[in-house]
Amino acid sequence: MKIICEVCPNHCLLEEGDVGFCQARQNESGQVISVNYGKLTGLALDPIEKKPLARYYPGSYILSIGSFGCNMRCPFCQNCDISMKGEGQAHWLPMSPERLTEKAVALKQRANLGVAYTYNEPCIGYEYVRDTARLIQKAGMKNVLVTNGYVKPWVQAELLPYMDAMNIDLKGFTREYYQKLGGDLETVKSFIQTAIKYCHVELTTLIVPGENDGAELDEMFSWIASLDPGIPLHISRFFPRWKMTGKEPTPLETIYRIAETAKKTLNYVYTGNC
């Protein structure tokens, strides 16, 4: 029995046993299930600024976890070793929501705020994020989501009641650029517009020379400001990775110039990877 996965706009049509484009969801007996539930490829106590979150409990730490799979295909992906892998290709360890919550609580003594769902695309395995976040919230701790925002509104609604902060990738500001990455600009914009009504939100744009560093950035800054000029924006530097190993890193002067332009419209602009 064929079934369409409704988690993101890719709408993968899956035969029995098929795994979707994201490599994290599968048709099992006519139901689309999460393949990566409780399968962690990364677990580390990180500074909150590394998410990056600059204006949310600065100086604190957060237990960061990730799994495998992603529903976009950014050729410059910095975490391609896990995000572009499936269950049989990535090294993972099992971790139940209950056990992860225990670890997060035990790390309070090391200034841990809670759990950040990051590294790969967490929303494609929203069930694990939701189940863990519910327990973390009950424990009086914080939940942070680091996401590309390329999912359906109902998936976002499953997670929003438990989220305290998000960093959302705004990878560029043209339809064509998002198409090259396998995503959709309007879906991400809608995700951001909803998220800012519920929790603290910061945005990140990775600047790839000759790809997303044109005049459209002025339009992007104005759009963010129209939502709230107080939304922090991280302008991040590209380094060669995955399918873009032959491209030079973004010049430092480009990052600083773009950041200075953004500051004319936005209250909080930060540079990353510099």
Side-chain angles (χ1 to χ4, degrees), residues 86-127:
E87 182 178 19
Q89 302 165 309
H91 177 68
W92 54 267
L93 294 173
M95 182 75 65
S96 69
E98 292 78 12
R99 179 63 180 139
L100 181 56
T101 301
E102 290 173 4
K103 284 184 174 291
V105 171
L107 287 168
K108 276 185 177 182
Q109 60 184 347
R110 293 176 58 185
N112 179 40
L113 283 177
V115 172
Y117 311 90
T118 180
Y119 300 145
N120 72 313
E121 174 46 53
C123 289
I124 58 173
Y126 74 91
E127 298 96 331

Side-chain angles (χ1 to χ4, degrees), residues 128-139:
Y128 182 75
V129 176
R130 177 199 61 204
D131 295 350
T132 304
R134 185 182 292 133
L135 296 177
I136 291 295
Q137 187 181 78
K138 287 181 179 178

Side-chain angles (χ1 to χ4, degrees), residues 177 206-213 237-239 244 247-251 254-255:
Y177 185 62
L206 180 77
I207 300 297
V208 184
E211 297 287 342
N212 64 340
D213 56 350
R237 188 184 184 203
F238 159 84
F239 283 95
M244 278 194 171
K247 200 174 186 70
E248 291 296 315
T250 313
T254 299
I255 297 296

